[in-house]
Amino acid sequence: MFIKSLKLKNFRNYCDLDLDFNSKKILIIGKNAQGKTNLLEAVYYLSALDSIRAKSDSELIKWGEEFCNIKAEIKKFDIDIDLEININPPNRKKLKVNGLNKNKSSEFISNISAVCFTVNDLLLLRGAPEDRRKWLNNAISQIFPAYIERLNKYNKIKTQKNNYLKDLKGNINADTSMLDIWNEQLAITGSNLIFIRLNFLHELQKIAAEKHKQISNTENLSVFYNSSIIGDINCSEKFPYNNEYILENFKQKLEEKKPEEIIRAQSVVGAHRDDVSFYINDNDAKKFASQGQQRTIVLSLKLAELELIKEKIHTNAILLLDDVLAELDDLRQNFLLDAIGDETQTIITSVDTLHFKEEYLKNVEIFEIKDNTVFKTNF
Ligand SMILES: Nc1ncnc2c1ncn2[C@@H]1O[C@H](COP(=O)(O)OP(=O)(O)O)[C@@H](O)[C@H]1O
Ligand SMILES: [Mg+2]
């Protein structure tokens, strides 16, 4: 698939932007704070309905304005698809596919898949568990769009449960029958999220470990899912149990943690507390891996995401590389550029063209951003 055009209205620093893309290889050049990342953020938002960096949708709206709009034309399996998002808080965001309103997020994001690799991703291992969950959730929704609805449902139930816990004011002798109802629903939706995550990570880890070995020559990468419900799961092996197993454990864990949750007035276990960790030759990479090794892990993961999407949805995702080439050494840079291939539409942002071989620059469409305007330029 590829993106043919992008129109932004009041999105971040863009008032009115209208871009046509005529190539599979696109380069966006500009000094710092010109709006390069903002552009990629808009494209990625179409694919995940989640920002790569904003905590809330309102941050995406140009300061002083009330709404923003992202429009794009996608070509997928030779079919043109028009996508449109309107963000106008506190109203629910409006999603349109080919002019028709879509109430379900999955019916929107199923039209476009993207993999985004930013400088921030290089810190994935050392970052907060929240960052790794965000990565995992967004990566899954590129392949399995219905996941997004299940996740939203889970988060809604969790919020309601937390509000209820706050109302209990730490009183463990209160009537907790409502809590049991929230817990039951949380366990049903949450166990399914965990089950999907385990299957996804198993498939991703197979490909990522292969890539990691190719780059490093000798190292074995393994991925663990660290669950507050079922403990640490090695994703190198296929998860041997079914959803039911996780559900039973989920319910049991919630029952066990009930007094603590009431006293602390928060949900202390569940899919929203789980994490992912990475091991190189059986050593925890967060603690022991060098910066270079950590970069290799993240690069391997991103390439694995791309490959898994291709395998599952039978077309290439759009790859967004934000400033990341400058951060990789020659070996990793070349590995990345070679691995992408001709068919994957790639939008790369960079301060300059220094990191690109002349050969690469010959075939790219280059845009330059300056003073809030984007114009086509030549190398
Ligand atoms: N909601 C917003 N409204 C207007 N401008 C914004 C908004 N959010 C960020 N910006 C501006 O966008 C610019 C940063 O854009 P960014 O895409 O991160 O730059 P780059 O990637 O080129 O370094 C900054 O000038 C910042 O002030
Ligand atoms: Mg940037």
Side-chain angles (χ1 to χ4, degrees):
M1 72 177 71
F2 59 96
I3 178 165
K4 287 174 31 177
S5 72
L6 179 70
K7 285 192 180 68
L8 301 178
K9 191 161 179 58
N10 299 339
F11 185 91
R12 294 280 194 188
N13 65 323
Y14 296 103
C15 219
D16 255 307
L17 179 77
D18 193 343
L19 283 184
D20 286 327
F21 300 121
N22 296 299
S23 168
K24 290 255 171 94
K25 303 293 168 211
I26 293 152
L27 202 55
I28 296 176
I29 305 286
K31 295 211 174 85
N32 279 330
Q34 295 301 305
K36 301 184 296 296
T37 303
N38 294 345
L39 260 185
L40 296 193
E41 186 179 32
V43 177
Y44 193 74
Y45 194 92
L46 291 160
S47 77
L49 295 174
D50 188 26
S51 158
I52 46 174
R53 52 182 175 177
K55 290 261 186 283
S56 87
D57 284 347
S58 346
E59 288 175 48
L60 305 175
I61 302 170
K62 190 169 182 352
W63 298 321
E65 301 293 340
E66 283 177 353
F67 73 96
C68 74
N69 203 273
I70 311 173
K71 275 188 189 182
E73 276 177 288
I74 308 293
K75 202 168 190 85
K76 184 178 175 188
F77 301 124
D78 264 335
I79 297 168
D80 290 319
I81 306 168
D82 284 337
L83 299 177
E84 182 175 351
I85 300 174
N86 193 279
I87 298 173
N88 189 1
N91 301 315
R92 211 171 157 222
K93 62 181 158 248
K94 284 205 181 91
L95 309 172
K96 280 187 187 174
V97 177
N98 294 329
L100 298 174
N101 286 318
K102 297 287 173 195
N103 288 324
K104 286 174 96 178
S105 302
S106 59
E107 288 177 8
F108 186 87
I109 62 165
S110 57
N111 293 290
I112 168 171
S113 302
V115 172
C116 189
F117 187 3
T118 74
V119 178
N120 258 346
D121 289 320
L122 294 170
L123 305 171
L124 188 74
L125 273 72
R126 295 243 161 100
E130 191 186 348
D131 300 330
R132 286 181 290 274
R133 281 193 298 270
K134 188 180 171 81
W135 159 71
L136 180 62
N137 289 332
N138 286 338
I140 295 174
S141 64
Q142 303 304 312
I143 292 176
F144 181 46
Y147 178 83
I148 197 175
E149 256 107 41
R150 301 182 194 188
L151 182 67
N152 289 343
K153 186 171 172 195
Y154 178 86
N155 286 331
K156 223 180 241 169
I157 298 166
K158 189 195 74 197
T159 305
Q160 283 166 325
K161 173 180 162 180
N162 282 343
N163 289 339
Y164 184 76
L165 284 169
K166 282 190 194 104
D167 286 347
L168 287 178
K169 296 197 167 60
N171 180 5
I172 44 171
N173 298 317
D175 171 17
T176 58
S177 47
M178 257 323 275
L179 184 60
D180 296 336
I181 295 173
W182 294 131
N183 276 347
E184 169 87 14
Q185 292 191 21
L186 202 68
I188 293 170
T189 42
S191 57
N192 186 237
L193 292 183
I194 295 174
F195 188 66
I196 296 169
R197 286 173 180 179
L198 288 169
N199 284 312
F200 173 83
L201 285 174
H202 172 59
E203 298 201 46
L204 191 79
Q205 111 89 41
K206 269 193 284 188
I207 309 172
E210 224 173 82
K211 304 277 175 207
H212 191 95
K213 192 157 245 162
Q214 283 167 10
I215 305 171
S216 66
N217 280 326
T218 51
E219 295 170 3
N220 283 314
L221 169 68
S222 40
V223 180
F224 278 71
Y225 184 73
N226 312 109
S227 174
S228 57
I229 301 294
I230 47 169
D232 297 337
I233 307 292
N234 183 349
C235 300
S236 311
E237 290 134 38
K238 190 162 170 47
F239 185 61
Y241 306 106
N242 57 16
N243 208 335
E244 203 64 24
Y245 169 87
I246 306 172
L247 177 61
E248 284 315 310
N249 277 277
F250 211 126
K251 286 182 183 167
Q252 211 178 323
K253 221 25 176 231
L254 287 174
E255 199 52 42
E256 202 181 298
K257 294 283 179 184
K258 210 159 145 183
E260 187 185 338
E261 293 199 320
I262 295 173
I263 289 165
R264 291 174 58 186
Q266 51 174 292
S267 308
V268 301
V269 285
H272 62 288
R273 287 292 174 108
D274 291 357
D275 198 354
V276 183
S277 55
F278 305 91
Y279 284 72
I280 294 178
N281 301 340
D282 300 328
N283 294 314
D284 185 351
K286 187 180 192 165
K287 292 187 197 134
F288 298 107
S290 68
Q291 196 194 49
Q293 283 173 312
Q294 297 206 12
R295 287 175 178 206
T296 305
I297 294 176
V298 178
L299 173 58
S300 306
L301 288 173
K302 294 290 166 180
L303 291 172
E305 279 176 57
L306 263 186
E307 216 167 288
L308 196 56
I309 294 174
K310 173 83 202 265
E311 192 183 309
K312 297 286 175 191
I313 67 168
H314 309 292
T315 176
N316 291 292
I318 300 164
L319 178 63
L320 308 167
L321 298 177
D322 190 26
D323 267 341
V324 84
L325 282 180
E327 296 290 324
L328 299 175
D329 59 14
D330 280 353
L331 168 81
R332 293 180 183 85
Q333 238 183 63
N334 288 335
F335 191 87
L336 171 60
L337 291 174
D338 290 345
I340 297 167
D342 294 338
E343 280 310 305
T344 302
Q345 190 182 33
T346 312
I347 310 181
I348 305 183
T349 70
S350 179
V351 176
D352 47 45
T353 53
L354 291 178
H355 293 281
F356 302 90
K357 290 187 193 133
E358 220 165 290
E359 196 53 38
Y360 191 85
L361 291 172
K362 266 189 212 151
N363 302 308
V364 292
E365 186 175 25
I366 307 179
F367 294 92
E368 190 171 346
I369 313 188
K370 218 177 189 174
D371 306 325
N372 292 323
T373 20
V374 184
F375 48 91
K376 246 181 113 151
T377 178
N378 288 312
F379 165 54

